[in-house]
Amino acid sequence: MAHIRFRSAVAPLRRNLSHRPVQLPTVDRMVADLQPAEPMHCIRPQVLSATARRFIDLFDRAVGGDVLYAVKCNPDPAFLRALYRGGVRHFDCASPAEIRIVRQMFADAHVHYMHPVKNRAAIAKAWNDFAVRDFSLDSQEELDKILAVTGANDDLGLFIRLAMPKGAAAYDLSGKFGATLEEAVALLRRARPLARRLGVCFHVGSQMMDPAAYEAGIAIAGRVIAAAGVAIDVVDVGGGFPVAYPDMTPPDLQLYMDAIARGIAALNLPRETRIWCEPGRALVAAGGSVVVQVERRRGGDELFINDGIYGSLSDAGVPAFRFPCRLIRRSDAPLMPFSFWGPTCDSADRMKGPFLLPTDIREGDWIEIGQLGAYGATLRTEFNGFDQARLVEVVDQPLLATPGHRILPQLLEMAA
Ligand SMILES: *Cc1c(COP(=O)(O)O)cnc(C)c1O
């Protein structure tokens, strides 16, 4: 196993792009071979590519629009490469580091800088070094900043981020960004003569469980557009598309597409208006998992494991996401609920779950935790020195089924 390299999982944006993850067959085989004592990040490239392909296809059929991948969700080069293979050509970036990695990897990528509050140096870097032309904003001050840095340029794309009401999302994003109706109207009128591409964008909140939120968001965009009375080139309905977790079964993705198509149809926009969306979680969650090892079992239902809220399991902490779990060995014991403690010395490093695992689980066992391709490894820190991890490619099925994705039986046979 000398060809497996150790690396810090922190700061994938600063990693050397020439390093590619090692190709191994299945998670179980990999655990048997490596007996990993540090968390093992697993990527399923075929799942990522197939998920991206399906999403792009559904969105195209619904509104004929463009799918921008929200890079912050997982900027790992191996993930970006798999999404690109699945047809992703547009990238929603929020920092110069994200822009740089996309530009370096893909010559034909369309990069959009969709963070509504940027510093001047970042705008200058995006504009001068990376030829980014599309910027989002939600205030007059930000518009002034963008104009001052880029100069009056006839190739500018300006996207006004609209405030959204609090909704049914697991992560409410309504408090931080977004212009009110009056502000948005003023911004659109001022931006129209300055922009080659003028758009409105919004985000209904992450892991949005209600498809109707998109229709409602589009209706708000429609009111802003009508009140401004200026021509709009792009309506960007944002991210927020949900994935399955053990306690959350979202409506079928097609219902989200239907809601978006209905909302857009109701606006009666000119034919040439482009529709964009910015999925993050929905494209990458299923394509990543983490294998952890049990270091202690205490009090019957508490497991100390070697990853936690300062590592890949941030969402299992305060947000209390329940992730699908699987014991990596044969056990016929019934399942019972467990909570997890992470490896750091902080008592906040606790994940209450419940996570369902066999009753006979013990110290030394390995557990695969699924749906962690989104907002998992990318949130890791090096707190307490627990930042070692390895990345391996695997071909087996993710823990929760991904609609529209079938593993080729030959691949699984080869891997067995
Ligand atoms: C985070 C983010 C996204 C992606 O959100 P998901 O809920 O992961 O789909 C899209 N657009 C913007 C502007 C974001 O900040």
Short mmCIF file of all heavy atoms in Angstrom, two decimals, residues 70 72-73 92 114 161 173 203 205-207 238-241 278-282 375, ligand 1:
data_model
loop_
_atom_site.label_atom_id
_atom_site.label_comp_id
_atom_site.label_asym_id
_atom_site.label_seq_id
_atom_site.Cartn_x
_atom_site.Cartn_y
_atom_site.Cartn_z
N ALA A 70 -22.30 24.81 -7.31
CA ALA A 70 -21.85 25.68 -6.21
C ALA A 70 -20.60 25.06 -5.59
O ALA A 70 -20.67 24.13 -4.78
CB ALA A 70 -22.95 25.83 -5.16
N LYS A 72 -18.42 25.75 -3.34
CA LYS A 72 -18.10 25.71 -1.91
C LYS A 72 -18.53 24.40 -1.25
O LYS A 72 -17.98 23.97 -0.25
CB LYS A 72 -18.77 26.88 -1.17
CG LYS A 72 -20.26 26.72 -0.92
CD LYS A 72 -20.72 27.72 0.17
CE LYS A 72 -22.16 27.55 0.56
NZ LYS A 72 -23.13 27.98 -0.47
N CYS A 73 -19.52 23.75 -1.86
CA CYS A 73 -20.06 22.52 -1.32
C CYS A 73 -19.02 21.40 -1.25
O CYS A 73 -19.00 20.60 -0.33
CB CYS A 73 -21.20 22.12 -2.24
SG CYS A 73 -22.33 21.02 -1.50
N ASP A 92 -20.42 28.13 -9.91
CA ASP A 92 -20.76 29.23 -9.02
C ASP A 92 -19.68 29.27 -7.95
O ASP A 92 -19.59 28.38 -7.12
CB ASP A 92 -22.16 28.96 -8.45
CG ASP A 92 -22.43 29.65 -7.13
OD1 ASP A 92 -21.67 30.57 -6.75
OD2 ASP A 92 -23.41 29.26 -6.46
N MET A 114 -20.57 34.51 -7.49
CA MET A 114 -21.92 34.73 -6.98
C MET A 114 -21.97 35.00 -5.48
O MET A 114 -22.93 34.62 -4.81
CB MET A 114 -22.81 33.55 -7.36
CG MET A 114 -22.89 33.30 -8.86
SD MET A 114 -23.40 34.74 -9.85
CE MET A 114 -25.18 34.53 -9.83
N ARG A 161 -29.03 39.82 -6.05
CA ARG A 161 -29.49 38.76 -5.13
C ARG A 161 -30.68 39.28 -4.33
O ARG A 161 -30.59 40.31 -3.65
CB ARG A 161 -28.34 38.39 -4.19
CG ARG A 161 -28.69 37.47 -3.05
CD ARG A 161 -28.70 36.00 -3.44
NE ARG A 161 -28.85 35.19 -2.25
CZ ARG A 161 -27.86 34.49 -1.69
NH1 ARG A 161 -26.66 34.49 -2.22
NH2 ARG A 161 -28.08 33.77 -0.61
N LEU A 173 -31.21 30.61 4.89
CA LEU A 173 -30.18 31.55 4.44
C LEU A 173 -30.77 32.96 4.28
O LEU A 173 -30.16 33.83 3.68
CB LEU A 173 -29.60 31.09 3.10
CG LEU A 173 -28.91 29.72 3.09
CD1 LEU A 173 -28.48 29.35 1.69
CD2 LEU A 173 -27.71 29.72 4.02
N HIS A 203 -31.62 32.44 -3.19
CA HIS A 203 -31.38 31.10 -2.63
C HIS A 203 -32.47 30.84 -1.62
O HIS A 203 -32.61 31.58 -0.66
CB HIS A 203 -29.99 31.04 -1.99
CG HIS A 203 -29.51 29.64 -1.75
ND1 HIS A 203 -30.19 28.73 -0.99
CD2 HIS A 203 -28.41 28.98 -2.21
CE1 HIS A 203 -29.54 27.58 -0.98
NE2 HIS A 203 -28.44 27.71 -1.71
N GLY A 205 -32.72 28.56 0.52
CA GLY A 205 -32.27 27.87 1.74
C GLY A 205 -31.83 26.47 1.40
O GLY A 205 -32.36 25.86 0.48
N SER A 206 -30.83 25.95 2.12
CA SER A 206 -30.26 24.66 1.76
C SER A 206 -31.09 23.51 2.31
O SER A 206 -31.73 23.64 3.35
CB SER A 206 -28.82 24.57 2.29
OG SER A 206 -28.12 23.56 1.60
N GLN A 207 -31.06 22.37 1.58
CA GLN A 207 -31.88 21.20 1.93
C GLN A 207 -33.35 21.64 2.06
O GLN A 207 -34.02 21.41 3.06
CB GLN A 207 -31.35 20.55 3.22
CG GLN A 207 -32.04 19.26 3.65
CD GLN A 207 -31.79 18.07 2.71
OE1 GLN A 207 -30.96 18.12 1.83
NE2 GLN A 207 -32.54 17.01 2.89
N GLY A 238 -31.05 29.60 -7.99
CA GLY A 238 -30.19 29.25 -6.86
C GLY A 238 -30.07 27.76 -6.58
O GLY A 238 -30.38 26.91 -7.42
N GLY A 239 -29.59 27.45 -5.37
CA GLY A 239 -29.40 26.06 -4.95
C GLY A 239 -30.48 25.65 -3.96
O GLY A 239 -31.59 26.15 -4.01
N GLY A 240 -30.11 24.74 -3.06
CA GLY A 240 -31.05 24.32 -2.02
C GLY A 240 -31.71 22.98 -2.26
O GLY A 240 -32.42 22.49 -1.39
N PHE A 241 -31.48 22.38 -3.45
CA PHE A 241 -32.13 21.10 -3.78
C PHE A 241 -31.67 20.03 -2.78
O PHE A 241 -30.48 19.89 -2.54
CB PHE A 241 -31.79 20.69 -5.21
CG PHE A 241 -32.21 21.73 -6.23
CD1 PHE A 241 -31.35 22.74 -6.61
CD2 PHE A 241 -33.48 21.71 -6.76
CE1 PHE A 241 -31.73 23.71 -7.53
CE2 PHE A 241 -33.88 22.67 -7.69
CZ PHE A 241 -33.00 23.68 -8.06
N GLU A 278 -28.22 26.78 -9.17
CA GLU A 278 -26.90 26.65 -8.53
C GLU A 278 -26.87 25.52 -7.51
O GLU A 278 -26.65 25.76 -6.32
CB GLU A 278 -26.54 27.96 -7.81
CG GLU A 278 -26.59 29.21 -8.65
CD GLU A 278 -26.45 30.48 -7.82
OE1 GLU A 278 -26.48 30.41 -6.57
OE2 GLU A 278 -26.29 31.55 -8.41
N PRO A 279 -27.10 24.28 -7.92
CA PRO A 279 -27.12 23.20 -6.92
C PRO A 279 -25.72 22.91 -6.37
O PRO A 279 -24.73 23.01 -7.10
CB PRO A 279 -27.63 21.99 -7.71
CG PRO A 279 -27.21 22.28 -9.12
CD PRO A 279 -27.33 23.77 -9.28
N GLY A 280 -25.64 22.60 -5.09
CA GLY A 280 -24.41 22.14 -4.47
C GLY A 280 -24.64 20.74 -3.93
O GLY A 280 -24.30 19.74 -4.56
N ARG A 281 -25.31 20.70 -2.78
CA ARG A 281 -25.59 19.45 -2.08
C ARG A 281 -26.16 18.36 -3.01
O ARG A 281 -25.72 17.20 -2.96
CB ARG A 281 -26.61 19.74 -0.97
CG ARG A 281 -26.94 18.56 -0.07
CD ARG A 281 -28.12 18.91 0.86
NE ARG A 281 -27.89 20.13 1.62
CZ ARG A 281 -27.22 20.19 2.77
NH1 ARG A 281 -26.74 19.10 3.30
NH2 ARG A 281 -27.04 21.35 3.38
N ALA A 282 -27.13 18.71 -3.84
CA ALA A 282 -27.82 17.71 -4.65
C ALA A 282 -26.89 17.03 -5.64
O ALA A 282 -27.13 15.91 -6.06
CB ALA A 282 -29.01 18.34 -5.39
N TYR A 375 -20.57 19.40 1.93
CA TYR A 375 -20.31 20.05 3.23
C TYR A 375 -19.73 19.06 4.24
O TYR A 375 -20.07 19.10 5.42
CB TYR A 375 -21.58 20.70 3.77
CG TYR A 375 -22.23 21.65 2.78
CD1 TYR A 375 -23.46 21.37 2.21
CD2 TYR A 375 -21.59 22.83 2.42
CE1 TYR A 375 -24.05 22.24 1.30
CE2 TYR A 375 -22.17 23.71 1.51
CZ TYR A 375 -23.40 23.40 0.95
OH TYR A 375 -23.97 24.26 0.05
C1 LIG B 1 -24.23 27.53 -0.89
C2 LIG B 1 -24.79 28.14 -2.10
C3 LIG B 1 -25.38 27.34 -3.08
C4 LIG B 1 -25.53 25.84 -2.95
O1 LIG B 1 -26.51 25.53 -2.03
P1 LIG B 1 -27.01 24.01 -1.82
O2 LIG B 1 -28.01 24.13 -0.75
O3 LIG B 1 -25.82 23.21 -1.44
O4 LIG B 1 -27.58 23.57 -3.12
C5 LIG B 1 -25.85 27.95 -4.23
N1 LIG B 1 -25.78 29.28 -4.40
C6 LIG B 1 -25.22 30.10 -3.47
C7 LIG B 1 -25.16 31.56 -3.73
C8 LIG B 1 -24.73 29.55 -2.29
O5 LIG B 1 -24.19 30.36 -1.36
#
